[in-house]
Coordinates of all heavy atoms in Angstrom, one line a residue:
M1 N 20.7 3.8 -2.5 CA 19.6 3.3 -3.3 C 18.5 4.3 -3.4 O 18.2 5.0 -2.4 CB 19.0 2.0 -2.6 CG 18.7 0.9 -3.5 SD 18.0 -0.5 -2.6 CE 19.5 -1.5 -2.5
A2 N 17.9 4.5 -4.5 CA 16.9 5.5 -4.7 C 15.5 5.0 -4.1 O 15.4 3.8 -3.9 CB 16.7 5.9 -6.1
T3 N 14.6 5.9 -3.9 CA 13.3 5.5 -3.5 C 12.6 4.7 -4.6 O 12.6 5.1 -5.8 CB 12.4 6.8 -3.2 OG1 13.1 7.5 -2.2 CG2 11.1 6.4 -2.7
S4 N 12.0 3.6 -4.2 CA 11.4 2.7 -5.2 C 10.0 3.2 -5.4 O 9.5 4.2 -4.8 CB 11.3 1.3 -4.6 OG 10.4 1.2 -3.6
E5 N 9.3 2.5 -6.3 CA 7.9 2.9 -6.7 C 7.0 2.7 -5.5 O 5.9 3.3 -5.5 CB 7.4 2.1 -7.9 CG 7.2 0.6 -7.6 CD 8.5 -0.2 -7.8 OE1 9.6 0.4 -8.2 OE2 8.5 -1.4 -7.5
T6 N 7.4 2.0 -4.5 CA 6.6 1.8 -3.3 C 6.8 2.9 -2.2 O 6.2 2.9 -1.2 CB 6.8 0.5 -2.6 OG1 8.2 0.4 -2.3 CG2 6.4 -0.7 -3.5
G7 N 7.8 3.8 -2.5 CA 8.1 4.9 -1.5 C 9.1 4.4 -0.5 O 9.3 5.1 0.5
V8 N 9.7 3.3 -0.6 CA 10.7 2.8 0.3 C 12.1 3.2 -0.1 O 12.5 2.8 -1.2 CB 10.6 1.3 0.5 CG1 11.6 0.7 1.4 CG2 9.2 0.8 0.9
D9 N 12.7 4.0 0.7 CA 14.1 4.4 0.4 C 15.0 3.6 1.4 O 15.1 4.0 2.6 CB 14.3 5.9 0.6 CG 15.7 6.3 0.3 OD1 16.6 5.5 0.0 OD2 15.9 7.6 0.3
L10 N 15.6 2.5 0.9 CA 16.3 1.6 1.8 C 17.6 2.3 2.4 O 18.2 1.8 3.3 CB 16.7 0.3 1.1 CG 15.5 -0.5 0.5 CD1 16.0 -1.7 -0.2 CD2 14.6 -0.9 1.7
S11 N 18.0 3.4 1.8 CA 19.2 4.1 2.3 C 18.9 5.3 3.2 O 19.8 5.9 3.7 CB 20.1 4.5 1.1 OG 19.4 5.5 0.3
N12 N 17.6 5.6 3.4 CA 17.2 6.7 4.2 C 17.7 6.5 5.6 O 17.5 5.4 6.2 CB 15.7 6.8 4.2 CG 15.2 8.0 5.0 OD1 15.4 8.0 6.2 ND2 14.5 8.9 4.4
P13 N 18.4 7.5 6.2 CA 18.9 7.4 7.5 C 17.9 7.0 8.6 O 18.2 6.2 9.5 CB 19.6 8.8 7.8 CG 19.8 9.3 6.5 CD 18.8 8.8 5.6
S14 N 16.7 7.6 8.5 CA 15.6 7.2 9.4 C 15.2 5.8 9.3 O 15.0 5.1 10.3 CB 14.4 8.1 9.2 OG 14.7 9.4 9.5
F15 N 15.1 5.3 8.1 CA 14.8 3.9 7.8 C 15.9 3.0 8.4 O 15.6 2.0 9.0 CB 14.6 3.6 6.3 CG 14.3 2.2 6.0 CD1 13.1 1.6 6.3 CD2 15.3 1.4 5.5 CE1 12.8 0.3 6.0 CE2 15.1 0.1 5.2 CZ 13.8 -0.5 5.4
R16 N 17.1 3.3 8.1 CA 18.3 2.5 8.6 C 18.3 2.5 10.1 O 18.6 1.5 10.7 CB 19.6 3.1 8.0 CG 19.7 3.0 6.5 CD 19.5 1.7 5.8 NE 20.3 0.6 6.3 CZ 20.1 -0.6 5.9 NH1 19.2 -0.9 5.0 NH2 20.9 -1.6 6.4
A17 N 18.0 3.6 10.8 CA 18.0 3.7 12.2 C 16.8 2.8 12.8 O 17.0 2.0 13.8 CB 17.7 5.1 12.7
F18 N 15.7 2.8 12.1 CA 14.6 1.9 12.5 C 15.1 0.4 12.4 O 14.8 -0.4 13.3 CB 13.4 2.1 11.6 CG 12.3 1.1 11.8 CD1 11.5 1.1 12.9 CD2 12.2 0.0 10.8 CE1 10.5 0.1 13.0 CE2 11.3 -0.9 11.0 CZ 10.4 -0.9 12.1
I19 N 15.7 0.1 11.3 CA 16.2 -1.3 11.1 C 17.2 -1.7 12.1 O 17.1 -2.8 12.7 CB 16.7 -1.5 9.6 CG1 15.6 -1.3 8.6 CG2 17.4 -2.8 9.5 CD1 14.5 -2.3 8.7
R20 N 18.1 -0.8 12.5 CA 19.1 -1.1 13.5 C 18.4 -1.4 14.9 O 18.7 -2.4 15.5 CB 20.1 0.1 13.7 CG 21.2 0.0 12.7 CD 22.3 1.0 13.1 NE 21.8 2.4 13.3 CZ 21.6 3.2 12.3 NH1 21.9 2.9 11.1 NH2 21.2 4.5 12.6
G21 N 17.4 -0.5 15.2 CA 16.7 -0.8 16.5 C 15.9 -2.0 16.4 O 15.8 -2.8 17.4
Y22 N 15.2 -2.3 15.3 CA 14.4 -3.5 15.2 C 15.3 -4.7 15.3 O 14.9 -5.7 16.0 CB 13.7 -3.5 13.8 CG 12.7 -4.6 13.6 CD1 11.4 -4.5 14.0 CD2 13.1 -5.8 13.0 CE1 10.5 -5.6 13.8 CE2 12.3 -6.9 12.9 CZ 10.9 -6.7 13.2 OH 10.1 -7.8 13.1
S23 N 16.4 -4.7 14.6 CA 17.3 -5.9 14.6 C 17.9 -6.2 16.0 O 18.5 -7.2 16.2 CB 18.3 -5.8 13.5 OG 19.1 -4.7 13.6
Q24 N 17.9 -5.2 16.9 CA 18.4 -5.5 18.2 C 17.4 -6.4 19.0 O 17.9 -7.1 19.9 CB 18.5 -4.2 19.0 CG 19.6 -3.3 18.6 CD 19.6 -2.0 19.3 OE1 18.8 -1.7 20.2 NE2 20.7 -1.2 19.0
H25 N 16.2 -6.5 18.5 CA 15.2 -7.4 19.2 C 14.8 -8.6 18.4 O 14.4 -9.6 18.9 CB 13.9 -6.6 19.5 CG 14.2 -5.4 20.4 ND1 14.3 -5.6 21.8 CD2 14.4 -4.1 20.2 CE1 14.5 -4.4 22.3 NE2 14.6 -3.5 21.4
Y26 N 15.0 -8.5 17.0 CA 14.6 -9.6 16.1 C 15.6 -9.7 15.1 O 16.2 -8.8 14.6 CB 13.2 -9.3 15.5 CG 12.1 -9.1 16.5 CD1 11.7 -7.8 16.8 CD2 11.5 -10.1 17.1 CE1 10.7 -7.6 17.7 CE2 10.4 -9.9 18.0 CZ 10.1 -8.7 18.3 OH 9.0 -8.5 19.2
S27 N 15.8 -11.0 14.7 CA 16.8 -11.3 13.6 C 16.3 -10.7 12.3 O 15.1 -10.9 11.9 CB 17.0 -12.8 13.5 OG 17.9 -13.1 12.5
L28 N 17.1 -10.0 11.6 CA 16.7 -9.4 10.3 C 18.0 -9.3 9.4 O 18.9 -8.6 9.8 CB 16.1 -8.1 10.6 CG 15.4 -7.4 9.4 CD1 14.2 -8.2 8.9 CD2 14.9 -6.0 9.9
D29 N 18.0 -10.0 8.3 CA 19.2 -9.9 7.5 C 19.0 -8.9 6.3 O 17.9 -8.6 6.0 CB 19.7 -11.3 7.0 CG 18.7 -12.0 6.1 OD1 17.8 -11.3 5.5 OD2 18.8 -13.2 5.9
E30 N 20.1 -8.5 5.7 CA 20.0 -7.5 4.6 C 19.3 -8.0 3.4 O 18.6 -7.2 2.7 CB 21.4 -7.1 4.2 CG 22.1 -6.1 5.2 CD 21.4 -4.8 5.3 OE1 21.0 -4.2 4.3 OE2 21.3 -4.3 6.5
E31 N 19.3 -9.3 3.1 CA 18.6 -9.8 2.0 C 17.1 -9.6 2.1 O 16.4 -9.3 1.2 CB 18.9 -11.3 1.8 CG 18.2 -11.9 0.5 CD 18.5 -13.4 0.3 OE1 19.2 -14.0 1.1 OE2 17.9 -13.9 -0.6
L32 N 16.6 -9.9 3.4 CA 15.2 -9.7 3.6 C 14.8 -8.2 3.4 O 13.8 -7.9 2.8 CB 14.8 -10.1 5.0 CG 13.4 -10.0 5.4 CD1 12.5 -10.9 4.5 CD2 13.2 -10.4 6.9
I33 N 15.7 -7.3 3.9 CA 15.4 -5.9 3.8 C 15.4 -5.5 2.3 O 14.6 -4.7 1.9 CB 16.5 -5.1 4.6 CG1 16.3 -5.3 6.1 CG2 16.4 -3.6 4.3 CD1 17.5 -4.8 6.9
S34 N 16.3 -6.1 1.5 CA 16.3 -5.7 0.1 C 15.0 -6.1 -0.6 O 14.7 -5.6 -1.7 CB 17.5 -6.4 -0.6 OG 17.3 -7.8 -0.7
H35 N 14.2 -7.1 0.0 CA 12.9 -7.5 -0.6 C 11.8 -6.6 -0.1 O 10.6 -6.8 -0.6 CB 12.7 -8.9 -0.3 CG 13.6 -9.9 -1.0 ND1 13.6 -10.0 -2.4 CD2 14.6 -10.7 -0.5 CE1 14.6 -10.9 -2.7 NE2 15.1 -11.3 -1.6
L36 N 12.0 -5.7 0.8 CA 11.0 -4.9 1.3 C 10.1 -4.2 0.2 O 8.9 -4.1 0.3 CB 11.5 -3.8 2.3 CG 10.5 -3.0 3.1 CD1 9.6 -3.9 3.9 CD2 11.2 -2.0 4.0
P37 N 10.7 -3.6 -0.8 CA 9.9 -3.0 -1.8 C 8.9 -4.0 -2.5 O 7.8 -3.6 -2.8 CB 10.9 -2.4 -2.9 CG 12.1 -2.2 -2.0 CD 12.2 -3.3 -1.0
T38 N 9.4 -5.2 -2.7 CA 8.5 -6.2 -3.2 C 7.3 -6.5 -2.3 O 6.1 -6.6 -2.7 CB 9.2 -7.5 -3.5 OG1 10.3 -7.2 -4.4 CG2 8.3 -8.6 -4.1
F39 N 7.6 -6.6 -1.0 CA 6.6 -6.8 0.0 C 5.6 -5.7 0.1 O 4.4 -5.8 0.2 CB 7.1 -7.0 1.4 CG 8.0 -8.2 1.5 CD1 9.1 -8.2 2.3 CD2 7.8 -9.4 0.8 CE1 10.0 -9.3 2.5 CE2 8.6 -10.5 1.0 CZ 9.7 -10.5 1.8
M40 N 6.1 -4.4 -0.1 CA 5.2 -3.3 -0.1 C 4.3 -3.3 -1.3 O 3.2 -2.9 -1.3 CB 6.0 -2.0 0.0 CG 6.8 -1.8 1.3 SD 5.7 -1.6 2.7 CE 4.8 -0.2 2.3
R41 N 4.9 -3.7 -2.4 CA 4.1 -3.7 -3.7 C 3.0 -4.8 -3.5 O 1.9 -4.5 -4.0 CB 5.0 -4.1 -4.8 CG 4.4 -4.0 -6.2 CD 5.5 -4.1 -7.2 NE 4.9 -4.1 -8.6 CZ 4.6 -3.1 -9.3 NH1 4.9 -1.9 -8.9 NH2 4.1 -3.3 -10.5
L42 N 3.3 -5.9 -2.9 CA 2.3 -6.9 -2.7 C 1.2 -6.4 -1.7 O 0.0 -6.6 -2.0 CB 2.9 -8.2 -2.1 CG 1.9 -9.3 -1.7 CD1 1.2 -9.8 -2.9 CD2 2.7 -10.5 -1.1
A43 N 1.6 -5.7 -0.7 CA 0.6 -5.1 0.2 C -0.3 -4.1 -0.5 O -1.5 -4.0 -0.3 CB 1.3 -4.4 1.4
N44 N 0.3 -3.3 -1.4 CA -0.5 -2.4 -2.2 C -1.5 -3.1 -3.2 O -2.6 -2.7 -3.4 CB 0.4 -1.5 -3.1 CG 1.1 -0.4 -2.2 OD1 0.7 -0.2 -1.1 ND2 2.1 0.2 -2.8
L45 N -1.0 -4.2 -3.7 CA -1.9 -5.0 -4.6 C -3.1 -5.6 -3.8 O -4.2 -5.5 -4.3 CB -1.1 -6.2 -5.2 CG -1.9 -7.1 -6.1 CD1 -2.5 -6.4 -7.3 CD2 -1.0 -8.2 -6.6
I46 N -2.8 -6.1 -2.6 CA -3.9 -6.6 -1.8 C -4.9 -5.5 -1.4 O -6.1 -5.7 -1.5 CB -3.3 -7.3 -0.5 CG1 -2.6 -8.6 -0.9 CG2 -4.4 -7.6 0.5 CD1 -1.7 -9.2 0.2
T47 N -4.4 -4.3 -1.1 CA -5.3 -3.2 -0.7 C -6.1 -2.8 -1.9 O -7.3 -2.6 -1.8 CB -4.4 -2.0 -0.2 OG1 -3.7 -2.4 1.0 CG2 -5.3 -0.8 0.1
Y48 N -5.4 -2.8 -3.1 CA -6.2 -2.4 -4.3 C -7.3 -3.4 -4.6 O -8.4 -3.0 -4.9 CB -5.2 -2.4 -5.5 CG -5.8 -2.3 -6.9 CD1 -6.3 -1.1 -7.3 CD2 -5.9 -3.4 -7.7 CE1 -6.9 -1.0 -8.6 CE2 -6.5 -3.3 -8.9 CZ -7.0 -2.1 -9.4 OH -7.6 -2.0 -10.6
A49 N -7.0 -4.7 -4.4 CA -8.0 -5.7 -4.7 C -9.2 -5.6 -3.7 O -10.4 -5.7 -4.1 CB -7.4 -7.1 -4.6
K50 N -8.9 -5.3 -2.4 CA -9.9 -5.1 -1.4 C -10.8 -3.9 -1.8 O -12.0 -3.9 -1.6 CB -9.3 -4.9 0.0 CG -8.8 -6.2 0.5 CD -8.2 -6.0 1.9 CE -7.6 -7.2 2.5 NZ -7.1 -7.0 3.8
L51 N -10.2 -2.8 -2.2 CA -10.9 -1.6 -2.6 C -11.8 -1.9 -3.8 O -13.0 -1.5 -3.8 CB -10.0 -0.4 -2.9 CG -9.3 0.2 -1.7 CD1 -8.2 1.2 -2.1 CD2 -10.3 0.9 -0.8
V52 N -11.3 -2.5 -4.8 CA -12.1 -2.8 -6.0 C -13.3 -3.7 -5.6 O -14.4 -3.5 -6.0 CB -11.2 -3.5 -7.1 CG1 -12.1 -4.1 -8.2 CG2 -10.2 -2.5 -7.6
R53 N -13.1 -4.7 -4.8 CA -14.1 -5.6 -4.3 C -15.2 -4.8 -3.5 O -16.4 -5.0 -3.7 CB -13.6 -6.7 -3.5 CG -14.6 -7.7 -3.1 CD -14.0 -8.9 -2.5 NE -15.0 -9.9 -2.2 CZ -14.9 -10.8 -1.3 NH1 -13.8 -11.0 -0.7 NH2 -15.9 -11.7 -1.1
A54 N -14.7 -3.9 -2.6 CA -15.7 -3.1 -1.8 C -16.5 -2.2 -2.6 O -17.7 -1.9 -2.2 CB -14.9 -2.3 -0.8
M55 N -16.0 -1.8 -3.8 CA -16.8 -0.9 -4.6 C -17.7 -1.6 -5.7 O -18.3 -0.9 -6.5 CB -15.8 0.1 -5.3 CG -15.1 1.0 -4.4 SD -13.9 2.0 -5.1 CE -14.9 2.8 -6.4
D56 N -17.7 -2.9 -5.6 CA -18.5 -3.7 -6.6 C -19.9 -3.7 -6.1 O -20.4 -4.6 -5.6 CB -17.9 -5.1 -6.7 CG -18.6 -5.9 -7.8 OD1 -19.2 -5.2 -8.7 OD2 -18.6 -7.1 -7.8
L57 N -20.6 -2.6 -6.4 CA -22.0 -2.4 -6.0 C -22.9 -2.0 -7.2 O -22.4 -1.5 -8.2 CB -22.1 -1.3 -4.9 CG -21.2 -1.5 -3.7 CD1 -21.1 -0.2 -2.9 CD2 -21.8 -2.6 -2.8
A58 N -24.1 -2.2 -7.0 CA -25.1 -1.9 -8.1 C -25.1 -0.4 -8.3 O -25.1 0.4 -7.4 CB -26.5 -2.3 -7.7
N59 N -25.0 0.0 -9.6 CA -25.0 1.5 -9.9 C -26.4 2.1 -10.0 O -26.5 3.3 -10.0 CB -24.3 1.7 -11.2 CG -22.8 1.4 -11.1 OD1 -22.2 1.6 -10.1 ND2 -22.2 1.0 -12.2
D60 N -27.4 1.2 -10.0 CA -28.7 1.8 -10.2 C -29.4 2.1 -8.8 O -30.6 2.4 -8.8 CB -29.6 0.8 -11.0 CG -29.7 -0.6 -10.3 OD1 -29.0 -0.8 -9.3 OD2 -30.5 -1.4 -10.7
Q61 N -28.7 2.1 -7.8 CA -29.2 2.4 -6.4 C -29.1 3.9 -6.2 O -28.3 4.6 -6.7 CB -28.4 1.7 -5.4 CG -28.5 0.2 -5.5 CD -29.9 -0.3 -5.2 OE1 -30.6 0.2 -4.3 NE2 -30.3 -1.3 -5.9
D62 N -30.0 4.4 -5.4 CA -30.0 5.8 -5.0 C -29.4 5.9 -3.6 O -30.1 5.8 -2.6 CB -31.4 6.4 -5.0 CG -31.4 7.9 -4.7 OD1 -30.4 8.6 -5.1 OD2 -32.4 8.4 -4.2
Y63 N -28.1 6.0 -3.5 CA -27.3 6.0 -2.3 C -27.3 7.4 -1.6 O -27.4 8.4 -2.3 CB -25.9 5.6 -2.5 CG -25.8 4.1 -3.0 CD1 -25.3 3.9 -4.3 CD2 -26.1 3.1 -2.2 CE1 -25.2 2.6 -4.8 CE2 -26.0 1.8 -2.7 CZ -25.5 1.5 -3.9 OH -25.4 0.2 -4.4
P64 N -27.2 7.5 -0.3 CA -27.1 8.8 0.4 C -25.9 9.5 -0.1 O -24.9 9.0 -0.5 CB -27.0 8.4 1.9 CG -27.4 7.0 2.0 CD -27.2 6.3 0.6
E65 N -26.0 10.8 0.1 CA -24.9 11.7 -0.3 C -23.5 11.4 0.3 O -22.5 11.4 -0.3 CB -25.2 13.2 0.0 CG -24.1 14.1 -0.5 CD -24.5 15.6 -0.3 OE1 -25.7 15.9 -0.1 OE2 -23.6 16.4 -0.2
A66 N -23.6 11.0 1.6 CA -22.3 10.7 2.3 C -21.7 9.4 1.7 O -20.5 9.3 1.6 CB -22.6 10.4 3.8
Y67 N -22.6 8.5 1.3 CA -22.1 7.3 0.7 C -21.4 7.6 -0.7 O -20.4 7.0 -1.0 CB -23.2 6.3 0.5 CG -22.8 5.0 0.0 CD1 -22.1 4.0 0.8 CD2 -23.0 4.7 -1.4 CE1 -21.7 2.8 0.2 CE2 -22.6 3.5 -1.9 CZ -21.9 2.5 -1.1 OH -21.5 1.4 -1.6
T68 N -22.1 8.4 -1.5 CA -21.5 8.7 -2.8 C -20.2 9.5 -2.7 O -19.3 9.3 -3.5 CB -22.5 9.5 -3.7 OG1 -23.0 10.6 -3.0 CG2 -23.7 8.6 -4.1
S69 N -20.1 10.3 -1.6 CA -18.9 11.0 -1.3 C -17.8 10.1 -1.0 O -16.6 10.2 -1.5 CB -19.1 12.0 -0.2 OG -17.9 12.6 0.2
L70 N -18.1 9.1 -0.2 CA -17.1 8.0 0.2 C -16.7 7.2 -1.1 O -15.5 6.9 -1.2 CB -17.7 7.1 1.2 CG -16.8 5.9 1.6 CD1 -15.5 6.3 2.2 CD2 -17.6 5.0 2.6
L71 N -17.6 6.9 -1.9 CA -17.3 6.2 -3.2 C -16.3 7.0 -4.0 O -15.4 6.4 -4.6 CB -18.6 5.9 -4.0 CG -19.3 4.7 -3.6 CD1 -20.6 4.5 -4.4 CD2 -18.5 3.4 -3.7
L72 N -16.5 8.3 -4.1 CA -15.6 9.1 -4.9 C -14.2 9.1 -4.3 O -13.2 9.0 -5.0 CB -16.0 10.6 -4.9 CG -17.3 10.8 -5.8 CD1 -17.7 12.3 -5.7 CD2 -16.9 10.5 -7.3
K73 N -14.1 9.1 -3.0 CA -12.7 9.0 -2.3 C -12.1 7.6 -2.6 O -10.9 7.5 -2.9 CB -12.9 9.2 -0.8 CG -13.2 10.6 -0.4 CD -13.3 10.7 1.1 CE -13.7 12.2 1.5 NZ -13.8 12.3 2.9
L74 N -12.9 6.6 -2.5 CA -12.4 5.3 -2.8 C -12.0 5.1 -4.2 O -11.0 4.5 -4.5 CB -13.5 4.2 -2.4 CG -13.8 4.0 -1.0 CD1 -15.0 3.0 -0.8 CD2 -12.6 3.5 -0.2
E75 N -12.7 5.7 -5.1 CA -12.3 5.7 -6.6 C -11.0 6.3 -6.8 O -10.1 5.8 -7.5 CB -13.4 6.3 -7.4 CG -14.6 5.5 -7.6 CD -15.7 6.3 -8.4 OE1 -15.5 7.4 -8.8 OE2 -16.8 5.7 -8.5
N76 N -10.7 7.4 -6.1 CA -9.4 8.1 -6.1 C -8.3 7.2 -5.6 O -7.2 7.1 -6.1 CB -9.4 9.4 -5.4 CG -10.2 10.5 -6.1 OD1 -10.2 10.5 -7.4 ND2 -10.7 11.5 -5.4
W77 N -8.6 6.5 -4.5 CA -7.6 5.6 -3.9 C -7.3 4.5 -4.9 O -6.2 4.1 -5.1 CB -8.1 5.1 -2.6 CG -8.1 6.0 -1.4 CD1 -7.6 7.3 -1.4 CD2 -8.6 5.8 -0.1 NE1 -7.8 7.9 -0.2 CE2 -8.4 7.0 0.6 CE3 -9.2 4.7 0.5 CZ2 -8.7 7.1 2.0 CZ3 -9.5 4.8 1.8 CH2 -9.3 6.0 2.5
V78 N -8.4 3.9 -5.4 CA -8.2 2.8 -6.4 C -7.3 3.3 -7.6 O -6.4 2.6 -8.0 CB -9.6 2.3 -6.9 CG1 -9.4 1.5 -8.2 CG2 -10.3 1.5 -5.8
H79 N -7.6 4.5 -8.1 CA -6.8 5.1 -9.2 C -5.3 5.2 -8.8 O -4.5 4.8 -9.5 CB -7.4 6.4 -9.6 CG -6.6 7.1 -10.6 ND1 -6.6 6.7 -11.9 CD2 -5.7 8.1 -10.5 CE1 -5.7 7.5 -12.6 NE2 -5.2 8.4 -11.8
N80 N -5.1 5.7 -7.6 CA -3.7 5.9 -7.1 C -3.0 4.5 -6.9 O -1.8 4.4 -7.3 CB -3.7 6.7 -5.8 CG -4.1 8.1 -6.0 OD1 -4.0 8.7 -7.2 ND2 -4.5 8.8 -5.0
Y81 N -3.7 3.6 -6.3 CA -3.1 2.3 -6.1 C -2.8 1.6 -7.5 O -1.7 1.0 -7.7 CB -4.0 1.3 -5.3 CG -3.8 1.5 -3.8 CD1 -4.7 2.2 -3.0 CD2 -2.7 1.0 -3.2 CE1 -4.5 2.4 -1.7 CE2 -2.5 1.1 -1.8 CZ -3.4 1.8 -1.1 OH -3.2 2.0 0.3
K82 N -3.7 1.7 -8.4 CA -3.5 1.1 -9.7 C -2.3 1.8 -10.4 O -1.5 1.1 -11.0 CB -4.8 1.3 -10.6 CG -4.7 0.6 -11.9 CD -6.0 0.7 -12.7 CE -6.0 0.0 -14.0 NZ -7.2 0.1 -14.7
A83 N -2.2 3.1 -10.3 CA -1.1 3.8 -11.0 C 0.2 3.3 -10.3 O 1.2 3.1 -11.1 CB -1.3 5.3 -10.8
S84 N 0.2 3.1 -9.0 CA 1.5 2.7 -8.4 C 1.9 1.3 -8.8 O 3.0 0.9 -8.9 CB 1.4 2.8 -6.9 OG 0.6 1.8 -6.3
L85 N 0.8 0.4 -9.0 CA 1.1 -0.9 -9.4 C 1.6 -1.1 -10.9 O 2.3 -2.0 -11.2 CB -0.1 -1.8 -9.2 CG -0.6 -2.0 -7.8 CD1 -1.9 -2.6 -7.7 CD2 0.5 -2.8 -7.0
L86 N 1.2 -0.1 -11.7 CA 1.5 -0.1 -13.1 C 2.9 0.5 -13.4 O 3.5 0.2 -14.4 CB 0.5 0.6 -14.0 CG -0.9 -0.1 -14.0 CD1 -1.9 0.8 -14.7 CD2 -0.8 -1.5 -14.6
S87 N 3.4 1.2 -12.4 CA 4.7 1.9 -12.6 C 5.9 1.0 -12.3 O 5.8 0.0 -11.7 CB 4.8 3.2 -11.8 OG 4.8 2.9 -10.4

């Protein structure tokens, strides 16, 4: 299986080794694993929504430089999450 838009490669040997080790302690079937990209996409959507909500601030404020720098980073993250959700 190729890497999905969420970055999950279900056939990656390291991922498969993790799943083998995990399933020694907890029940985990292949159908659930096949849904992992969907779960990751949902996690990305939730993170995107939280970032958008956190950035919903008044634009007419004079914020400190450190704050505006953080806002620029958050805007980049929002852009990246949005792009991953649209693909």
